Amino acid sequence: MVSVHLDAGMVEVRDTPRPDRPEGFALIRLLIGGICNTDLELQRGYYGFSGTPGHEFVGEVVAADSAGLIGKRVVGEINLSCGNCSWCERGLARHCPQRTVLGIVRHPGAFREFLTLPERNLHVVPDSIPLEAAVFVEPLAAACEILDQVTLPAGSEVAVLGDGKLGLLIAQVLHAHGCRVLQFGKHTEKLHVSAARGIMTEMIGSGALPVAAFPYVVDATGSPAGLCSAVQMVEPRGVVILKSTVHGEVPVDTAPVIVNEITLVGSRCGRFETALDLLERGAVDVASLVSERMPLSQAPAAFALAAKTGVLKVLLTGD
Amino acid sequence: MVSVHLDAGMVEVRDTPRPDRPEGFALIRLLIGGICNTDLELQRGYYGFSGTPGHEFVGEVVAADSAGLIGKRVVGEINLSCGNCSWCERGLARHCPQRTVLGIVRHPGAFREFLTLPERNLHVVPDSIPLEAAVFVEPLAAACEILDQVTLPAGSEVAVLGDGKLGLLIAQVLHAHGCRVLQFGKHTEKLHVSAARGIMTEMIGSGALPVAAFPYVVDATGSPAGLCSAVQMVEPRGVVILKSTVHGEVPVDTAPVIVNEITLVGSRCGRFETALDLLERGAVDVASLVSERMPLSQAPAAFALAAKTGVLKVLLTGD
């Protein structure tokens, strides 16, 4: 079967055997995968990754212990947890210390014809959600995670820094939640996705960013400078949500964080149920985020395209 | 009158005129001042400070608009706020953007025979609190601030990193609040202050610090490495309270903050009422933190002593 392989910065397409299905796991045929910035970071060699990447997918179950799953379209939680520890028992399997992570940590990813995941990780996709929307469930859940961590009353003013894929999803999720979102970005055409949903946007130009102006700021820039800007933009006693990983150490001036008593909240994966609900209700538009579709066999070109400025989501199709 | 002056790293004692008392202000005779690590940082030239330092004090009111204040022993909130902005109206005058700060930002400090502060900044010290305890109200309020920002249920396990003056006060405040405190430090004799109050302590030696072991960690190390240690020690979804300012930029690896969804809370000044209440109830022991008393006229020697390893609070007496 076709599978994508990352090693030492190279993206290759290989022919590999179909994976075995352990007990409790489902064997899933890939329908669509989505290339995430994390995949591009793995390509650059961060975290010493080599293997098959891919953690955003929608697929069809071809084999499973539960007969009811077979033939169903599914998305899957990316953290493979032990199921027994205190984190798992508290409903926070995403933080299980024993976990592996689909396409990131010691579990082969979704960018191949067939993948495996524990059945308990799977969510059946309602028929009303198109395939190309369902592939956004994972990043959309990550955007929704903010609302699980921080109480954002309706009407709250929130600045979202960054107009990449995740920044656009976050802006929509917070807008749908009733926040007054102002999104800052550097790309007119990307900000247009948010503007079309009624979200206020502002181009980051030569002018200075507002100082101490927002009770909540989300850093989704993916840049080391983003945290610094966010700390400057947030009000005293305000909350900065860190939504973009940056490789390596970031120089942070902690003095304003302490003097202004700012809270910084790291935020990662979220619950799939919330994301599926938003898509089912049509509360967010993900179709506008698709830049290109390419078959799995063209993964090297797809990765190169996804890394280009101005490009949003590149999808890999399973056929 | 005698006043201490910092300039270009030098501590000098000068003879200066008694300050004018503006309307709404009290003129206060210094009884005791306390040298804080921030004073030592000001001495090193941080924040471009030159002038009279000192923000921990207890004094006697000698002139005021309110006759009832005259002759009273007082402590004073260090932030001089506008009284009119939204921050002042919300009871957070400590964050007033127009504020000056006693001995730190554009208001001469307390290390002089007579100082001035707005009457509304003053708190009369109950007779039951000794002078040498009252001088700890300001740093004790800063320790209490943690409880105003973070909900710490009784019984919560909290690691306090650092056994300096502020670290010792924080450990006692959280212990009195009902937390299960484990304090980490590098000085046996300092940790003994906490141990004598029934607080668990642990020397930081060559061994590794515990990893992902505490739901709450307070960094009161005053060292750039403290934040990094705190992030390693806190559990996923845990809270790190940043209680020590470090000059300049600190290199922070934001990846574990995001992956483990850690919350970092900057924490500064607190409410004096809470600190006075703790002292009145005898819930904390501050007497053990006093290393030395020296007259104002010996401020250069007092500053030098306060900067030495192993020394805790050095008090400056007004006579």
Side-chain angles (χ1 to χ4, degrees), chain A residues 1-293:
Chain A
M1 65 168 200
V2 172
S3 72
V4 178
H5 198 87
L6 289 187
D7 196 12
M10 295 294 294
V11 184
E12 296 172 352
V13 177
R14 295 183 181 176
D15 184 26
T16 57
R18 188 188 283 207
D20 291 333
R21 181 180 72 83
E23 198 185 326
F25 280 62
L27 182 70
I28 301 158
R29 185 172 64 85
L30 180 71
L31 297 171
I32 308 183
I35 299 177
C36 165
N37 282 1
T38 301
D39 298 317
L40 301 176
E41 294 198 340
L42 296 178
Q43 184 190 358
R44 290 184 202 114
Y46 298 161
Y47 319 113
F49 181 88
S50 81
T52 296
H55 56 276
E56 301 178 3
F57 78 93
V58 53
E60 182 187 347
V61 176
V62 293
D65 292 347
S66 309
L69 274 175
I70 295 169
K72 289 285 197 297
R73 298 186 315 164
V74 294
V75 290
E77 309 247 9
I78 71 173
N79 298 283
L80 291 84
S81 54
C82 74
N84 300 315
C85 71
S86 67
W87 296 98
C88 290
E89 282 170 5
R90 286 157 59 187
L92 286 171
R94 306 191 290 276
H95 290 292
C96 171
Q98 309 298 329
R99 72 184 181 278
T100 59
V101 186
L102 178 70
I104 300 174
V105 183
R106 299 194 314 279
H107 189 81
F111 294 165
R112 47 189 185 146
E113 274 186 89
F114 293 93
L115 63 136
T116 60
L117 267 185
E119 290 187 13
R120 67 162 175 261
N121 281 44
L122 302 182
H123 297 258
V124 174
V125 178
D127 291 338
S128 63
I129 301 179
L131 276 185
E132 287 201 359
V135 73
F136 282 91
V137 165
E138 197 278 335
L140 190 58
C144 293
E145 175 70 351
I146 294 171
L147 296 170
D148 256 14
Q149 296 179 279
V150 179
T151 303
L152 287 170
S156 305
E157 293 192 25
V158 184
V160 175
L161 298 185
D163 54 8
K165 298 179 281 291
L166 187 55
L168 294 175
L169 292 176
I170 289 167
Q172 287 199 42
V173 164
L174 300 184
H175 177 71
H177 180 68
C179 297
R180 294 176 57 196
V181 175
L182 181 53
Q183 182 164 28
F184 294 81
K186 292 185 173 173
H187 308 89
T188 316
E189 70 286 5
K190 292 183 180 182
L191 289 176
H192 184 72
V193 174
S194 289
R197 303 288 294 186
I199 294 164
M200 292 177 290
T201 63
E202 194 161 315
M203 281 287 282
I204 300 176
S206 52
L209 288 164
V211 173
F214 296 89
Y216 305 95
V217 179
V218 180
D219 172 25
T221 58
S223 134
L227 176 54
C228 188
S229 299
V231 165
Q232 287 176 353
M233 288 174 71
V234 77
E235 285 178 1
R237 288 261 182 141
V239 178
V240 170
I241 296 128
L242 311 185
K243 206 61 212 185
S244 57
T245 37
V246 175
H247 183 65
E249 291 186 330
V250 178
V252 178
D253 186 356
T254 55
V257 174
I258 290 167
V259 170
N260 296 326
E261 299 194 315
I262 294 166
T263 294
L264 310 176
V265 181
S267 180
R268 183 177 163 251
C269 299
R271 291 183 292 124
F272 275 36
E273 293 86 344
T274 322
L276 283 165
D277 179 57
L278 283 175
L279 289 174
E280 209 169 2
R281 292 194 284 116
V284 295
D285 161 41
V286 293
S288 305
L289 271 70
V290 177
S291 290
E292 194 60 80
R293 300 149 190 87

Side-chain angles (χ1 to χ4, degrees), chain B residues 40-51:
Chain B
L40 301 176
E41 294 201 340
L42 295 178
Q43 183 190 357
R44 291 185 200 116
Y46 297 161
Y47 320 114
F49 181 87
S50 82

Side-chain angles (χ1 to χ4, degrees), chain A residues 145 237 250 252 264 268, chain B residues 145 237 250 252 261 264 268:
Chain A
E145 175 70 351
R237 288 261 182 141
V250 178
V252 178
L264 310 176
R268 183 177 163 251
Chain B
E145 174 70 351
R237 287 261 182 141
V250 178
V252 179
E261 299 195 315
L264 309 176
R268 184 176 162 252

Side-chain angles (χ1 to χ4, degrees), chain B residues 8-60:
Chain B
M10 296 293 294
V11 184
E12 297 173 350
V13 176
R14 295 184 180 176
D15 184 27
T16 56
R18 186 186 284 206
D20 292 333
R21 181 181 71 82
E23 198 185 324
F25 279 63
L27 183 70
I28 302 158
R29 185 170 65 84
L30 180 71
L31 297 171
I32 308 183
I35 299 177
C36 166
N37 281 0
T38 301
D39 298 319
L40 301 176
E41 294 201 340
L42 295 178
Q43 183 190 357
R44 291 185 200 116
Y46 297 161
Y47 320 114
F49 181 87
S50 82
T52 297
H55 56 275
E56 299 179 3
F57 78 94
V58 54
E60 181 188 347

Side-chain angles (χ1 to χ4, degrees), chain B residues 9-240:
Chain B
M10 296 293 294
V11 184
E12 297 173 350
V13 176
R14 295 184 180 176
D15 184 27
T16 56
R18 186 186 284 206
D20 292 333
R21 181 181 71 82
E23 198 185 324
F25 279 63
L27 183 70
I28 302 158
R29 185 170 65 84
L30 180 71
L31 297 171
I32 308 183
I35 299 177
C36 166
N37 281 0
T38 301
D39 298 319
L40 301 176
E41 294 201 340
L42 295 178
Q43 183 190 357
R44 291 185 200 116
Y46 297 161
Y47 320 114
F49 181 87
S50 82
T52 297
H55 56 275
E56 299 179 3
F57 78 94
V58 54
E60 181 188 347
V61 176
V62 293
D65 293 346
S66 308
L69 274 176
I70 295 168
K72 289 285 195 296
R73 297 186 315 163
V74 293
V75 290
E77 308 247 9
I78 71 175
N79 298 285
L80 291 84
S81 54
C82 75
N84 299 315
C85 71
S86 66
W87 297 97
C88 290
E89 283 171 6
R90 285 157 58 187
L92 285 171
R94 307 192 290 278
H95 290 292
C96 170
Q98 308 298 327
R99 72 186 181 277
T100 60
V101 185
L102 179 70
I104 300 174
V105 183
R106 299 194 313 277
H107 190 81
F111 294 165
R112 48 189 184 147
E113 276 187 89
F114 293 94
L115 62 136
T116 61
L117 266 185
E119 291 187 12
R120 69 163 174 259
N121 282 45
L122 303 181
H123 298 258
V124 174
V125 178
D127 290 338
S128 63
I129 302 178
L131 275 185
E132 287 201 358
V135 73
F136 282 91
V137 166
E138 196 279 334
L140 190 57
C144 294
E145 174 70 351
I146 294 171
L147 297 170
D148 256 12
Q149 296 179 278
V150 179
T151 302
L152 286 171
S156 305
E157 292 192 26
V158 184
V160 175
L161 297 186
D163 55 7
K165 299 180 282 291
L166 187 55
L168 294 175
L169 292 176
I170 290 167
Q172 288 201 42
V173 164
L174 299 184
H175 178 71
H177 179 68
C179 297
R180 294 176 56 196
V181 175
L182 180 54
Q183 182 165 28
F184 294 81
K186 292 185 173 174
H187 308 89
T188 316
E189 70 285 6
K190 291 183 179 180
L191 288 176
H192 184 71
V193 175
S194 289
R197 302 289 293 185
I199 294 165
M200 292 177 289
T201 62
E202 193 161 316
M203 282 286 284
I204 300 176
S206 51
L209 289 164
V211 172
F214 296 90
Y216 305 94
V217 179
V218 180
D219 172 26
T221 58
S223 133
L227 176 54
C228 187
S229 299
V231 166
Q232 286 175 355
M233 289 173 70
V234 77
E235 286 178 358
R237 287 261 182 141
V239 178
V240 171

